[in-house]
Amino acid sequence: MRRLIAPLWCSLLLLPLVACGPEAAGDADPAADAGAGVDVGGGDLPDVPRPACPFTATQVADLLGQPMEDQGDCLFGDGKGVAALTITTASPIAGGATYDYQRQQATTAYREVKDVDKGRKAYLAVKDIGGEAVVISDKGSFTVILSSFERIGAGPGGYEPALRKVLDALPL
């Protein structure tokens, strides 16, 4: 008799779940409601494709004042596996959708975060060993990350002047 009780209870617990199915929720399409009420930050941003990487290794070396190597997909390194500049590009709409979240995360990861006058909206974030800048413009969105540059980190103003130089060179 005990052997029959456990399967009976399991079937009584599972039967209502199986019997209801997805139609019981009012025949709603879950995919249609997935983005309902979510502001993706597009607003009046143009729907243009993601821009290509805006720089070559030579241009990055000129901007940062030290030799850099193209390591693929808009990643430039010093050739020693230490210093790196990464640029991630996206469409203006995609960048606008994540901008507020990125900026909020930067306030926890960086010592200083400030808005800058570039594109439609932009911020710059710095700490001792790196920096980040995000720009949303009509031509695309750009996330720039600098890390582990000994000369830049030790220089006056740290990473901020280097990031501003890169931002000024972006095709906004």
Side-chain angles (χ1 to χ4, degrees):
M1 184 68 161
R2 280 188 174 170
R3 288 187 315 195
L4 298 176
I5 292 175
L8 178 64
W9 276 109
C10 287
S11 64
L12 289 175
L13 291 173
L14 294 176
L15 184 63
L17 295 175
V18 174
C20 292
E23 292 79 24
D27 294 331
D29 178 11
D33 292 335
V38 177
D39 177 16
V40 294
D44 61 347
L45 290 171
D47 187 16
V48 298
R50 175 178 83 97
C53 183
F55 304 123
T56 64
T58 302
Q59 291 169 314
V60 169
D62 289 343
L63 287 169
L64 300 177
Q66 78 176 61
M68 298 297 288
E69 297 178 2
D70 186 341
Q71 297 179 332
D73 202 20
C74 221
L75 169 63
F76 304 95
D78 64 357
K80 302 172 189 165
V82 181
L85 172 123
T86 305
I87 300 172
T88 305
T89 62
S91 71
I93 291 175
T98 60
Y99 180 85
D100 291 335
Y101 176 76
Q102 283 182 282
R103 192 178 191 298
Q104 188 275 327
Q105 290 299 303
T107 62
T108 62
Y110 291 91
R111 178 185 71 238
E112 184 178 353
V113 179
K114 57 176 88 171
D115 293 326
V116 291
D117 189 23
K118 293 286 178 195
R120 287 187 174 234
K121 56 183 171 179
Y123 74 83
L124 176 85
V126 294
K127 60 183 175 182
D128 295 338
I129 61 169
E132 170 182 289
V134 176
V135 179
I136 310 300
S137 79
D138 288 344
K139 294 183 179 180
S141 68
F142 302 87
T143 300
V144 178
I145 299 174
L146 285 170
S147 63
S148 303
F149 284 84
E150 186 177 318
R151 185 189 59 76
I152 293 173
Y159 281 85
E160 185 173 341
L163 278 169
R164 286 188 183 275
K165 207 171 187 184
V166 172
L167 290 179
D168 288 343
L170 287 174
L172 304 175

